[in-house]
């Protein structure tokens, strides 16, 4: 009787816990869970007990659960994992799950699992990470984001020969704006410029502020011709706009396409040389090959 009372008390306590608690036997069939778990998966106890994940969830989700269950039993110790999960009610959550082996029936070893919904925490972490990749002034992506993206594009190019181009942009005579109108006006021009460029590029074009008045676009265009057309389009748009009061600006642009053997430094050096040529030959121009 005392054992029964203790067991009922334990079950009552477990049912009060918001975390998702479940037990499986050595054949991965559910032998128990708390109320929070039933509510979360949208099942009644009789629809869950005695069944395995493949009888309850879709194949992909069941396969994920089974993989972690097998790994935990094979290791024989506590195992933790975090992942996005979509449950039968189409609710997408980010779960922190811990599983440990436990003995039932006196001899058999099963699985005790505890999952916690940390979706809000994960979203906050993602938002914080995104903030670290944005330029504080212009709110376009920053140099850190550029470094991550170009390494990714170079890796894809090396493996699949998927080409991309880099467009280096510099605002012509920007120092004159700061000298004549002040840095506050200069900052306003930079913000307006970043927003204007973002508005006029495609989803496959990625804008970054590298520093000062220097910007870069990594363009996943199929050919360099597409990147050249984009650069000319942006050059004309910028020249036709008034970004602040009566201030008009122009930009110079250099373009090069990735080639075999390129690394972040080599492609950056080539495009910087092309930008320098554009600045040296009249400004408000696009250079995509060396001037001879």
């Amino acid at each position: 009787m005392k054992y029964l009372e203790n067991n009922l008390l334990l079950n009552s306590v477990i049912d009060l816990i918001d975390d998702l608690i479940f037990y499986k036997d050595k054949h991965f069939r559910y032998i128990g869970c708390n109320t929070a778990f039933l509510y979360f998966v949208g099942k009644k106890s009789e629809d869950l007990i005695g069944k395995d994940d493949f009888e309850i969830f879709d194949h992909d989700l069941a396969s994920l659960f089974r993989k972690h269950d097998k790994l935990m039993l094979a290791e024989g110790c506590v195992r933790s994992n975090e992942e996005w999960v979509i449950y039968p009610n189409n609710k997408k959550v980010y779960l922190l799950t811990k599983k440990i082996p436990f003995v039932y029936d006196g001899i058999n070893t099963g699985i005790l699992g505890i999952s916690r919904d940390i979706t809000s925490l994960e979203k906050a972490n993602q938002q914080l990470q995104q903030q670290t990749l944005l330029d504080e002034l212009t709110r376009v992506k920053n140099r850190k984001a550029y470094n991550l993206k170009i390494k990714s594009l170079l890796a894809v190019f090396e493996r699949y020969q998927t080409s991309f181009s880099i467009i280096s942009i510099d605002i012509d005579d920007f120092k004159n704006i700061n000298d004549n109108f002040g840095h506050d006006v200069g900052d306003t021009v930079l913000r307006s410029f970043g927003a204007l460029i973002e508005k006029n590029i495609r989803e496959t074009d990625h804008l970054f502020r590298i520093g000062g008045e220097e910007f870069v676009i990594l363009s996943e265009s199929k050919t360099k011709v597409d990147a050249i057309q984009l650069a000319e389009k942006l050059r004309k748009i910028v020249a036709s706009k008034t970004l602040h009061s009566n201030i008009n600006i122009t930009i110079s642009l250099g373009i090069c396409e990735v080639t075999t053997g390129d690394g972040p430094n080599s492609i950056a050096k080539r495009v910087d040389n092309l930008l320098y040529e554009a600045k040296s030959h009249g400004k408000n121009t696009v250079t995509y090959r060396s001037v001879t």
Side-chain angles (χ1 to χ4, degrees):
M1 179 66 72
K2 187 68 174 177
Y3 171 81
L4 180 60
E5 290 177 356
N6 289 340
N7 195 42
L8 289 173
L9 177 61
L10 178 61
N11 287 336
S12 297
V13 172
I14 290 173
D15 276 337
L16 290 174
I17 297 174
D18 292 332
D19 291 342
L20 316 179
I21 302 175
F22 55 88
Y23 323 86
K24 298 177 185 177
D25 63 20
K26 64 180 181 180
H27 302 295
F28 310 105
R29 295 176 300 212
Y30 286 93
I31 56 177
C33 65
N34 68 345
T35 301
F37 184 83
L38 290 173
Y39 177 78
F40 200 80
V41 300
K43 300 288 183 182
K44 296 180 180 179
S45 180
E46 56 267 29
D47 297 325
L48 186 81
I49 305 303
K51 296 181 179 178
D52 66 23
D53 290 311
F54 288 95
E55 297 176 275
I56 300 169
F57 306 110
D58 67 50
H59 185 272
D60 289 344
L61 186 56
S63 296
L64 180 67
F65 292 159
R66 180 64 55 87
K67 180 184 75 172
H68 291 308
D69 288 347
K70 286 183 174 180
L71 286 171
M72 188 278 299
L73 288 178
E75 295 169 359
C77 59
V78 178
R79 181 176 177 83
S80 299
N81 56 276
E82 298 178 15
E83 62 221 345
W84 284 103
V85 172
I86 301 177
Y87 276 93
N89 61 0
N90 290 322
K91 183 178 181 180
K92 184 177 181 181
V93 295
Y94 194 76
L95 292 180
L96 166 62
T97 300
K98 292 188 176 182
K99 294 178 179 178
I100 61 172
F102 84 105
V103 176
Y104 66 98
D105 291 342
I107 54 172
N108 294 308
T109 300
I111 301 153
L112 167 61
I114 303 175
S115 294
R116 176 167 295 179
D117 182 355
I118 57 171
T119 306
S120 58
L121 178 61
E122 175 61 15
K123 287 182 176 179
N125 287 337
Q126 289 182 349
Q127 289 175 355
L128 180 61
Q129 184 178 21
Q130 284 298 110
Q131 289 298 317
T132 67
L133 298 178
L134 290 179
D135 175 59
E136 187 174 348
L137 174 64
T138 62
R139 309 310 292 170
V140 303
K141 291 184 282 291
N142 60 17
R143 180 180 284 274
K144 180 180 178 181
Y146 164 80
N147 290 336
L148 292 172
K149 187 63 178 179
I150 197 165
K151 288 178 182 177
S152 173
L153 290 177
L154 285 168
V156 173
F157 173 73
E158 182 178 356
R159 184 167 184 179
Y160 301 108
Q161 294 300 297
T162 304
S163 186
F164 69 92
S165 295
I166 179 170
I167 306 173
S168 185
I169 308 170
D170 189 82
I171 299 176
D172 296 327
D173 302 314
F174 184 76
K175 183 177 182 298
N176 292 340
I177 296 176
N178 284 332
D179 290 346
N180 296 329
F181 300 97
H183 287 276
D184 287 345
V185 172
D187 288 348
T188 299
V189 170
L190 288 172
R191 282 192 291 267
S192 299
F193 174 75
L196 179 64
I197 298 299
E198 285 269 45
K199 182 180 178 181
N200 286 282
I201 58 178
R202 302 155 296 195
E203 290 185 3
T204 53
D205 303 319
H206 312 280
L207 176 67
F208 308 87
R209 184 188 179 205
I210 302 303
E213 65 273 22
E214 300 175 35
F215 293 77
V216 165
I217 294 173
L218 292 175
S219 178
E220 297 180 63
S221 302
K222 292 182 178 179
T223 68
K224 189 168 69 174
V225 172
D226 294 328
I228 293 169
Q229 291 174 344
L230 172 64
E232 285 289 2
K233 168 189 165 184
L234 296 176
R235 184 188 65 78
K236 293 175 182 177
I237 289 173
V238 171
S240 69
K241 298 290 184 180
T242 299
L243 296 184
H244 180 75
S245 300
N246 61 341
I247 298 176
N248 294 86
I249 65 171
T250 60
I251 55 176
S252 297
L253 307 95
I255 305 172
C256 70
E257 191 174 24
V258 64
T259 62
T260 302
D262 258 333
N265 292 334
S266 63
I267 193 171
K269 184 176 180 180
R270 284 208 316 281
V271 79
D272 282 346
N273 288 338
L274 289 165
L275 176 62
Y276 176 77
E277 291 183 8
K279 300 286 284 187
S280 301
H281 291 82
K283 302 178 184 177
N284 189 26
T285 189
V286 175
T287 301
Y288 50 90
R289 61 176 178 269
S290 293
V291 177
T292 57

